[in-house]
Amino acid sequence: MNIGQKVLEALKEEITEVEYKRYIRHLTYDVKKSSASFAIFYAPNALVVNWIKNKYSEKISHLFEVLSGSKASVEITLKNIIEKRKSKKVVEIKQGSSLLNPSHSFNNFMVGGSNQFAYAAVKSVSENAGKVYNPLFIYGGVGLGKTHLMQAAGNVFQDEGKTVIYTSVEQFLNDFIRHVRNKTMERFQEKYRKCDVLLIDDVQFLSGKEGIQEEFFHTFEALKGAGKQIILTADKHPKKIGGLEKRLQSRFEWGLVADIQPPELETKIAIIEKKCEINRVKLSKDIVNYIATVIESNVREIEGILSKLHAYSQLMNIDIDLEFTKNILKDQIRESRENLTMDVITQFVAKDLNIKPSEIRSKGRSKNIVYSRRISIYICRELTQNTMPQLAQYFGMKDHTAISHTLRKINELIQNDEDFKVKISELTNKLTSSS
Ligand code: ADP
Ligand code: MG
């Protein structure tokens, strides 16, 4: 029995027979691709991948460590992903998940007003590598499709036989450290400076890490100088990423900076329908509409719900109807929002806006305080179950009429002040996706 099989056997002991039969039994371990520090398991479809990642990946990592004596990063992935690309030139970084997800394609990406600019930019880059916008910088909130779009371009390049590196700042950093330690820096530089396309996800994590910024700067210069395409994503505009060297910040803006906004209802519906099609889940129109209206903006949350719906309906052998969906969503939302109290929200807003929580709750009238208070009140109203009187009390206002007056004012601002609207959706997004 190989180590992967041992891990699965051990896991069998820890879960119910139904769970085992339904999910774990379908996993296969890739002996050849795996190593002491990297374990790959294949699952037959995306839902099983999701389900196992959510529910068992920690357990699997733990068992792997216990049984093999070494700490490995565990990858659960679709069977055909790796097979399909055996023949292709991909630089695989054997740590974390550095593979391009083949279902992150342009075809699977639903376009609407919120993301059409970013979509058009990435599409154009995918057709003219290194020639139009270099670098292309995409920014926006969590779960809005940045990684998906970036990888869609990566998949196109890869199919053309180009050498594509997709990595996170963390992986880049780890790789760097490893090569420094092994005194193999030439190999590091060879790898990152000689590729055709470099995709770096979530570059806001470069913030404050000077050593790696330096190395990244030189990588950037080498690639850009050689006309190689660079695509970057972040959760905010380069100007707003603190702790970033000036020269990097300015280079990030050299090509094109494109933002992604939270999807409108229409787009959300299209995305849900697409995900259902990909995962072969059948949902009626009213269920799709319901999910689209209840979930604010984070598309990843939508995927979680679809996989949960599917899994429950299979485990319990029931059809998915609206009632059932509502129950599942209630749990999901409660789970993810349970920890969001007015304190948590106010502290989060305060930190982001560089102000004290006590000031937000004070009667202060300065512009900054009023602005922060409005944002906190609005988000508390949206994300917690607190009543108007409770809100009034918390924010030191006279009574619920004062709060409802403020909320009216805020809604007006949301209509007319784009910056205000964006700030609210950015913070809401972060709060609902970090839990
Ligand atoms: P981000 O990198 O911005 O946090 P991701 O690219 O990881 O977000 O997207 C989260 C999930 O939502 C992914 O599975 C992605 O496929 C899906 N998604 C986001 N936007 C869209 C879209 N417009 N059409 C289809 N799927 C989308
Ligand atoms: Mg991402």
Side-chain angles (χ1 to χ4, degrees), residues 103-104 108-112 115 140-149 201-202 233 260 267 271 274-275 298-300 303:
S103 72
H104 283 161
N108 289 346
F109 191 83
M110 299 295 107
V111 186
N115 58 28
V142 182
L144 301 185
K146 300 182 297 295
T147 300
H148 185 138
L149 268 182
D201 221 350
D202 293 313
T233 73
I260 297 195
T267 317
I271 294 173
K274 190 72 196 182
K275 297 286 172 198
N298 186 339
V299 182
R300 202 169 294 138
E303 294 194 310

Side-chain angles (χ1 to χ4, degrees), residues 117 120-122 125 132-138 252-258:
F117 181 50
V122 180
V125 161
V132 275
Y133 312 119
N134 202 15
L136 173 60
F137 190 102
I138 307 161
F252 286 174
E253 296 179 61
W254 265 359
L256 178 72
V257 178

Side-chain angles (χ1 to χ4, degrees), residues 31 162 169 195 235 260 303 381-382:
V31 190
K162 293 193 169 74
V169 168
C195 62
D235 66 348
I260 297 195
E303 294 194 310
R381 176 72 184 158
E382 288 290 304

Side-chain angles (χ1 to χ4, degrees), residues 172-208:
F172 184 76
L173 178 62
N174 289 343
D175 219 20
F176 175 69
I177 294 171
R178 193 157 51 87
H179 281 94
V180 168
R181 203 177 284 142
N182 299 343
K183 304 202 168 55
T184 48
M185 268 311 282
E186 333 69 61
R187 276 178 51 207
F188 177 86
Q189 289 172 355
E190 169 87 2
K191 170 169 156 188
Y192 285 100
R193 297 183 191 181
K194 293 277 162 64
C195 62
D196 299 314
V197 178
L198 180 63
L199 312 174
I200 304 211
D201 221 350
D202 293 313
V203 295
Q204 71 272 11
F205 292 121
L206 283 170
S207 169

